[in-house]
Amino acid sequence: MSRFFATGSDSESEESSSADEITPKAPGTTFKQSLLLSDDEEDTKRVVRSAKDKRFEELTNLIKTIRNAMKIRDMAKCLEEFEQLCRAFLKSKNIVDKEGVPSFYIRLLADLEDYLNQLWEDKEGKKKMNKNNAKALSTLRQKIRKYNRDYESEITAYKENPQESADEEEEKGPEDSGSSSDSDGEGGEDGVSAKSFLKKKPEASSEASKFLKSAKGSGDESSSSDDDEDDEDWGSDTVDSGSESSDDGEGKSASLAMVFLKKTQAPEKSSEKISKKKKPKKKERLEEEAEEEGGEEVEGGWEKVKGGVPLVKEKPKMFAKGTEINTAVVVKKLNEILQARGKKGTDRAAQIELLHALSAIAAENNLGQGILVKIRFNIIASLYDYNPNLAAFMKADMWKKCLDCIDELLDILFDNNNNIFIGENIAEDSENLAVSDQPFRVRGCILTLVERMDEEFTKIMQNTDPHSQEYVDNLKDEGRVCGIIDRLLNYLENKGSTEEICRVYLRRIMHTYYKFDYKAHRRSLGLQGESKSEQDQEESEGEDSAVIMDRLCKFIYAKDRTDRIRTCAILCHIYHHALHSRWYQARDLMLMSHLQDNIQHADPPVQILYNRTMVQLGICAFRQGMIKDAHNALLDIQSSGRAKELLGQGLLMRNMQERNAEQEKIEKRRQVPFHMHINLELLECVYLVSAMLLEIPYMAAHEFDARRRMISKQFHHQLRVGERQPLLGPPESMREHVVAASKAMKMGDWRTCHSFIINEKMNSKVWDLFPETQRVREMLVRKIQEESLRTYLFTYSSVYDSISMETLSEMFELEIPTVHSIISKMIINEELMASLDQPTQTVVMHRTEPTSLQNMALQLAEKLGSLVENNERVFDLKQGVYGGYFNRDQKGGYQQKQSYQRDQKGGYQQKQGGYQGGYQRGGYRNQNQSNY
């Protein structure tokens, strides 16, 4: 009997049961469908429901759609349904005001906000979204945040105790349904309550994290949710099924129960899913699976293996018991070990140990030095192969082993100098490793090993922090590296070819050229007696670095047949000369080599060496007082703005379009180690001071000249930067000091200029870094005085009729002969229009300077002259070269006339030039002077 007729009469129940019996089943329908289609539904009686149930049903349906969209991450659908939900909730306002906001609605708002926040933080997930979903996510997130402000207290209460809010809702459910049924009467009994449409959530499983899941998880949860929904649908008919089962019998009810009852494991699974808010990571799951498998299959003899590192192959046993150990057996074993070299699973450390063990066995059995040398070659090669990556550098323990092995190999070669021949040209078939009357012949090149060792040392220095103690400790190994190179040099001078000797000489030069020889410097100053210890005396009595460099470089100049080695040797030689203030030797060697003509075709390391040499040459010229030469040498490097990069002392930050990651790695390998760096601040200071000493007098001399060209763009840039500053405080940086000194020099104030250039701050930053600091400072003061005098004369010559040289001498603290020579040079070079009155020791000025109006008139005349010339040239081109309006004779006559006019014009220009030259070249002034 149907539960809807429980309150009816017996006659009604009999009629309904008879109707059930008469009704035929539709063909093809399943038993489940027959249960679903009751006779009440067939009759389609009108169901009367309350307004509350209708509204809540509409809300629950929309919530269900939103939750489904959340599961599949369909943000566009979520946004659309959420807008509909908001509209539906607005329609339910009257009911909500009476009953209060339903908890299922609050739960959705809280879950949706958490879900959207998690999606927003998942950067990778956002990138994978399509354009519509990403846009919808952003819009929905803003809307939900704004919407939830009205329900903050309810959402907070739900988040604090989600379990209680769910229970309250379940308790509220039957009461609501009861009240609605009472109010509606019999018609209300047929109505379906809103709670039947709600999905039951016993725990706080509504957290947004459950929607963020993998494909597998989503499948499982969707299937379980389907099961839950089925159960909810069937839950309302339990009474009905019970009544029918009592009519039909016990057996049928048992079979039905088996079909429709949910399995007992299902709630356990759902509770597990709820309790685990976050799924274990993939790695952890794999480990757990591996442990489970391992636990099950221990009996089968399976062994758990750690992943990641390749398995070390079983070490080959050296020799079986009773094997006679001779040279052939050891060579065979050596080849076996070497066959594994470079293969994927080879343990390189174990291979090195095996080679050491083999060397010990060969030494124990006295198999001769030949086999020992061959094993040593392979040990050193294996040490170099330990780091397969080209950019990686050797670790400290491997580096020490490498140095020890090379030292031992050289010991063997020196002890058996005439008994062992090594070389790359010896074929393996012709090797003689056995002890016999013949000398040992071993294939290998000791020079290549030492060159690789030197490169590894450079890599170690490049990859060590230069400001750490570790760098200092590593730098101490340079003495040992140089010792090995010296030993090899001595060995190859007797046994090696000319090419090999040139190569090892260059290695020695590269470790010497950048070092300042303080002992030789001290000896040149006569301070040898200060060194007290015997060791210092022995070292000071040793050969000067200049002599060593001279001997090694001259051998390369004479014998080398490769351009690269000779170029590097010349550059190192120039650098060493310049470092030790031998300016003329360095300059002559640079000019004779003509390297500047084709250095752009050299490889980058050689270009870096060339740049370093030019910079050192410029600094040397500055120390010697050759300001113009210093400026010219430093101009190319400093004007580029990339001095750091051009000198190999670091990379500038650039766009990745200009330099990709691979090029950056290559450029980093070209960098010069820190202990070989040139101080960039010192370099810039020397350049700016040189530019100041040249530019300020030039600017004063050509103040009104329109054709004036700047000597140094960088110096002018610094001046403009200084002029733009709104507040002019005392200078702080090196550049500000130079700018302030330039302004003082422009006014002829040499003392202020001197105080800005030479002070405690500048001494500590720049001038104290030179070897002969006092001499450099004295030279600078002298140059500042001389150039300030010239600037003063250029600037104020128009004010004076005559000026005494004695006065100038006192003003600039220079000797009278020096002042006399400076003024004489200026008059000879036609820079100053004046004459010297010898008896009175005065300078008589010639007032021939044009006024500003005359200067402008001269500029106009020059421009008009160039305009006329251009016009005539264009007219000639238009008429054509052959024929035209004039015939040949007429054309010739015209040309003669034109040339005559040009001569006339040239005369005019000469006349004008004579006047202008009165200011520049002194032509007009000389004319005036002769008339005078």
Side-chain angles (χ1 to χ4, degrees):
M1 186 177 65
S2 175
R3 62 176 176 143
F4 298 111
F5 301 101
T7 56
S9 62
D10 294 338
S11 61
E12 287 173 349
S13 64
E14 284 170 8
E15 286 171 14
S16 66
S17 62
S18 63
D20 288 341
E21 289 170 5
I22 294 163
T23 305
K25 290 181 183 178
T29 56
T30 59
F31 183 64
K32 186 176 179 181
Q33 286 171 335
S34 66
L35 286 173
L36 283 168
L37 297 169
S38 65
D39 47 358
D40 300 324
E41 288 164 346
E42 286 173 3
D43 294 342
T44 60
K45 289 181 180 179
R46 184 169 176 270
V47 178
V48 179
R49 286 180 294 168
S50 65
K52 175 186 171 184
D53 289 343
K54 285 180 184 177
R55 294 297 179 201
F56 279 19
E57 182 185 351
E58 184 183 1
L59 292 177
T60 48
N61 287 337
L62 288 169
I63 288 170
K64 190 174 180 182
T65 313
I66 289 172
R67 290 194 183 277
N68 288 337
M70 286 161 71
K71 285 177 185 175
I72 59 172
R73 295 195 178 197
D74 187 353
M75 290 296 101
K77 184 72 173 171
C78 270
L79 178 60
E80 183 186 344
E81 294 298 324
F82 179 72
E83 287 171 349
Q84 287 185 17
L85 181 68
C86 292
R87 286 195 290 271
F89 189 76
L90 203 63
K91 288 178 187 175
S92 316
K93 192 171 184 302
N94 294 331
I95 295 164
V96 170
D97 290 343
K98 289 179 186 177
E99 304 289 337
V101 182
S103 56
F104 62 84
Y105 190 74
I106 297 297
R107 187 187 313 153
L108 174 83
L109 294 179
D111 290 352
L112 186 57
E113 187 176 14
D114 292 345
Y115 171 71
L116 293 174
N117 288 337
Q118 287 195 22
L119 271 187
W120 190 261
E121 289 167 7
D122 183 15
K123 303 293 182 188
E124 295 298 323
K126 274 168 66 180
K127 286 179 186 174
K128 292 175 185 175
M129 279 185 181
N130 61 27
K131 192 177 178 181
N132 291 338
N133 274 352
K135 191 175 178 183
L137 172 63
S138 176
T139 310
L140 183 56
R141 182 168 170 268
Q142 288 176 353
K143 283 194 174 186
I144 195 77
R145 285 171 70 184
K146 190 175 178 182
Y147 192 80
N148 282 6
R149 285 176 198 159
D150 299 334
Y151 305 100
E152 278 183 8
S153 56
E154 290 91 340
I155 290 170
T156 310
Y158 166 71
K159 284 184 177 176
E160 284 174 0
N161 201 345
Q163 180 66 41
E164 282 182 13
S165 63
D167 292 342
E168 284 170 11
E169 184 191 346
E170 286 173 5
E171 288 168 9
K172 198 175 177 183
E175 290 171 11
D176 293 342
S177 62
S179 61
S180 64
S181 64
D182 293 338
S183 60
D184 293 331
E186 289 181 4
E189 288 172 4
D190 295 338
V192 182
S193 67
K195 295 299 171 186
S196 65
F197 292 96
L198 287 179
K199 188 173 178 180
K200 301 285 191 298
K201 291 183 179 61
E203 292 184 16
S205 61
S206 59
E207 290 185 5
S209 59
K210 71 177 182 176
F211 295 107
L212 301 168
K213 56 184 178 288
S214 61
K216 185 178 176 182
S218 65
D220 295 342
E221 288 192 17
S222 62
S223 63
S224 66
S225 66
D226 291 339
D227 293 341
D228 293 340
E229 286 159 20
D230 292 341
D231 292 340
E232 286 168 5
D233 292 336
W234 288 101
S236 61
D237 292 338
T238 51
V239 180
D240 206 1
S241 63
S243 63
E244 285 176 7
S245 66
S246 62
D247 295 338
D248 297 340
E250 295 292 331
K252 193 173 179 181
S253 66
S255 64
L256 281 174
M258 291 301 291
V259 172
F260 296 110
L261 275 179
K262 199 171 187 179
K263 292 181 181 178
T264 56
Q265 294 175 357
E268 291 174 10
K269 284 183 183 176
S270 63
S271 64
E272 282 175 12
K273 283 178 187 173
I274 292 161
S275 62
K276 292 181 185 177
K277 293 182 180 178
K278 290 182 181 178
K279 294 191 177 183
K281 291 181 182 176
K282 190 177 179 183
K283 206 171 188 178
E284 292 171 6
R285 286 206 303 270
L286 289 172
E287 285 175 8
E288 286 170 8
E289 287 171 12
E291 283 174 11
E292 287 170 9
E293 288 173 6
E296 290 170 1
E297 297 170 353
V298 165
E299 295 173 0
W302 290 95
E303 186 180 345
K304 187 179 175 184
V305 178
K306 287 182 181 178
V309 183
L311 285 173
V312 179
K313 291 186 178 178
E314 189 180 346
K315 292 182 183 178
K317 293 178 183 177
M318 278 298 171
F319 302 106
K321 282 188 177 180
T323 306
E324 184 185 354
I325 295 171
N326 54 26
T327 306
V329 172
V330 171
V331 169
K332 186 180 176 185
K333 180 58 66 178
L334 177 64
N335 290 331
E336 276 180 24
I337 295 169
L338 293 179
Q339 278 173 1
R341 181 181 173 188
K343 290 185 179 177
K344 192 175 182 182
T346 307
D347 185 358
R348 298 183 184 88
Q351 199 177 27
I352 294 165
E353 288 173 14
L354 286 173
L355 289 169
H356 276 292
L358 191 64
S359 175
I361 291 169
E364 281 174 16
N365 291 275
N366 297 321
L367 296 180
Q369 300 297 333
I371 191 71
L372 287 177
V373 169
K374 187 169 180 64
I375 293 172
R376 290 281 170 209
F377 270 122
N378 287 300
I379 289 172
I380 296 165
S382 299
L383 286 168
Y384 290 146
D385 287 349
Y386 189 76
N387 286 325
N389 187 2
L390 190 65
F393 61 99
M394 290 178 84
K395 299 292 180 282
D397 53 343
M398 288 293 169
W399 171 244
K400 300 293 181 194
K401 279 184 188 176
C402 179
L403 292 178
D404 292 340
C405 284
I406 293 174
D407 267 330
E408 288 169 12
L409 181 58
L410 286 169
D411 289 337
I412 296 171
L413 293 176
F414 274 110
D415 293 342
N416 303 273
N417 197 2
N418 298 319
N419 202 24
I420 299 177
F421 290 99
I422 58 171
E424 286 179 313
N425 51 358
I426 297 172
E428 288 189 3
D429 301 337
S430 62
E431 281 184 325
N432 180 24
L433 302 174
V435 178
S436 62
D437 297 336
Q438 298 294 325
F440 295 109
R441 289 170 61 82
V442 183
R443 178 180 172 78
C445 181
I446 182 70
L447 176 59
T448 308
L449 296 180
V450 171
E451 283 181 332
R452 178 70 191 273
M453 173 205 71
D454 195 26
E455 288 166 9
E456 288 293 338
F457 175 71
T458 305
K459 270 200 278 187
I460 289 170
M461 300 313 294
Q462 283 171 345
N463 288 281
T464 310
D465 179 16
H467 305 293
S468 64
Q469 183 60 34
E470 187 186 357
Y471 191 90
V472 178
D473 295 337
N474 289 339
L475 192 56
K476 289 175 184 174
D477 289 336
E478 191 184 16
R480 198 169 171 192
V481 170
C482 290
I484 289 172
I485 292 172
D486 282 334
R487 292 183 70 190
L488 179 64
L489 189 146
N490 294 332
Y491 178 79
L492 290 178
E493 280 176 351
N494 299 325
K495 292 280 187 102
S497 63
T498 309
E499 185 187 351
E500 288 177 332
I501 293 170
C502 287
R503 281 164 64 189
V504 75
Y505 274 9
L506 183 63
R507 288 285 162 187
R508 186 71 184 87
I509 288 166
M510 295 299 280
H511 280 280
T512 307
Y513 81 97
Y514 62 90
K515 295 173 183 170
F516 187 80
D517 193 347
Y518 283 98
K519 293 186 177 68
H521 180 63
R522 197 178 296 151
R523 274 202 297 271
S524 67
L525 298 175
L527 302 174
Q528 189 176 352
E530 287 184 7
S531 57
K532 295 177 181 178
S533 65
E534 293 179 4
Q535 186 179 358
D536 286 348
Q537 285 179 359
E538 285 174 11
E539 287 179 3
S540 63
E541 287 168 6
E543 207 172 11
D544 283 354
S545 62
V547 178
I548 296 169
M549 287 288 293
D550 200 52
R551 176 168 56 82
L552 299 179
C553 290
K554 282 182 177 175
F555 182 87
I556 291 175
Y557 300 157
K559 305 286 184 182
D560 180 60
R561 287 174 294 180
T562 63
D563 285 339
R564 191 181 186 281
I565 292 178
R566 187 166 60 250
T567 302
C568 289
I570 291 171
L571 289 171
C572 291
H573 205 180
I574 295 166
Y575 190 104
H576 194 263
H577 279 315
L579 189 64
H580 293 84
S581 301
R582 295 188 287 271
W583 157 250
Y584 291 104
Q585 291 96 311
R587 184 197 63 182
D588 294 345
L589 191 53
M590 175 61 83
L591 294 174
M592 284 190 294
S593 64
H594 295 285
L595 286 175
Q596 59 271 28
D597 298 338
N598 52 10
I599 193 66
Q600 67 270 16
H601 302 301
D603 53 341
V606 177
Q607 288 186 7
I608 288 170
L609 182 58
Y610 173 80
N611 292 338
R612 284 166 56 79
T613 303
M614 286 303 295
V615 162
Q616 200 63 50
L617 203 59
I619 294 171
C620 173
F622 181 80
R623 287 200 304 267
Q624 299 301 312
M626 314 283 184
I627 302 299
K628 197 162 189 176
D629 291 319
H631 181 269
N632 291 338
L634 300 176
L635 181 63
D636 290 338
I637 300 295
Q638 284 299 118
S639 60
S640 66
R642 297 187 301 127
K644 187 178 184 181
E645 197 169 346
L646 293 174
L647 296 174
Q649 295 182 188
L651 298 179
L652 297 174
M653 296 300 292
R654 287 203 206 162
N655 297 332
M656 289 306 288
Q657 297 170 355
E658 294 182 26
R659 181 173 59 213
N660 56 31
E662 193 60 35
Q663 286 173 332
E664 193 165 344
K665 284 180 186 174
I666 293 167
E667 288 190 19
K668 277 183 179 175
R669 286 203 292 271
R670 292 179 188 144
Q671 298 303 300
V672 177
F674 183 75
H675 63 280
M676 298 168 66
H677 281 193
I678 296 168
N679 191 318
L680 293 175
E681 192 171 17
L682 178 142
L683 174 62
E684 188 178 8
C685 182
V686 166
Y687 175 74
L688 289 176
V689 170
S690 303
M692 178 190 78
L693 293 172
L694 293 173
E695 190 80 66
I696 297 297
Y698 180 79
M699 286 166 67
H702 300 83
E703 192 174 357
F704 299 106
D705 189 3
R707 295 181 181 179
R708 183 183 69 194
R709 290 182 181 177
M710 58 181 73
I711 297 171
S712 168
K713 286 184 179 178
Q714 193 182 1
F715 177 72
H716 274 272
H717 173 69
Q718 295 301 332
L719 284 181
R720 282 195 296 273
V721 168
E723 286 168 3
R724 283 197 209 111
Q725 288 180 352
L727 293 171
L728 203 62
E732 292 180 5
S733 67
M734 176 272 298
R735 292 173 182 173
E736 289 176 2
H737 275 90
V738 176
V739 170
S742 304
K743 288 178 180 175
M745 184 183 276
K746 206 184 278 187
M747 305 301 292
D749 186 358
W750 77 271
R751 287 183 180 84
T752 310
C753 178
H754 167 242
S755 66
F756 281 131
I757 292 292
I758 298 172
N759 50 49
E760 286 183 11
K761 192 179 281 188
M762 291 291 283
N763 284 345
S764 61
K765 279 186 176 181
V766 180
W767 309 125
D768 287 345
L769 302 177
F770 286 120
E772 298 175 348
T773 54
Q774 194 56 38
R775 197 167 66 81
V776 171
R777 287 197 201 100
E778 289 170 2
M779 179 275 298
L780 260 177
V781 173
R782 186 81 172 180
K783 287 290 176 186
I784 288 170
Q785 288 170 337
E786 291 175 2
E787 296 304 324
S788 297
L789 171 60
R790 294 182 71 230
T791 308
Y792 184 83
L793 289 172
F794 283 134
T795 308
Y796 300 111
S797 60
S798 59
V799 177
Y800 290 100
D801 284 326
S802 62
I803 186 168
S804 169
M805 280 194 282
E806 190 176 348
T807 308
L808 291 174
S809 172
E810 288 172 4
M811 278 176 67
F812 293 96
E813 294 183 10
L814 290 168
E815 301 84 3
I816 290 179
T818 308
V819 174
H820 186 278
S821 67
I822 291 169
I823 294 172
S824 301
K825 281 179 190 174
M826 290 171 72
I827 293 171
I828 291 166
N829 294 331
E830 299 178 356
E831 292 174 333
L832 183 68
M833 295 306 107
S835 58
L836 284 171
D837 189 10
Q838 203 67 31
T840 57
Q841 291 287 302
T842 56
V843 184
V844 181
M845 302 294 176
H846 300 155
R847 291 191 165 279
T848 54
E849 283 77 11
T851 62
S852 58
L853 182 62
Q854 288 171 331
N855 273 318
M856 290 171 70
L858 289 172
Q859 289 175 23
L860 179 62
E862 281 181 15
K863 286 179 181 176
L864 286 171
S866 61
L867 181 65
V868 170
E869 277 188 16
N870 291 334
N871 193 25
E872 287 177 357
R873 206 171 289 128
V874 169
F875 186 73
D876 286 346
L877 288 171
K878 278 188 177 179
Q879 293 302 319
V881 180
Y882 302 105
Y885 180 76
F886 301 103
N887 59 21
R888 198 168 290 175
D889 290 337
Q890 283 175 333
K891 189 177 180 185
Y894 172 75
Q895 281 182 339
Q896 284 174 6
K897 192 176 179 184
Q898 186 181 2
S899 65
Y900 172 73
Q901 285 175 346
R902 282 186 182 168
D903 287 340
Q904 286 289 96
K905 185 182 172 191
Y908 169 73
Q909 280 186 338
Q910 281 176 0
K911 213 170 181 182
Q912 176 196 344
Y915 181 77
Q916 190 181 4
Y919 175 61
Q920 288 184 350
R921 295 182 295 277
Y924 183 70
R925 288 175 180 170
N926 290 341
Q927 199 175 16
N928 264 5
Q929 192 175 349
S930 61
N931 293 337
Y932 180 78

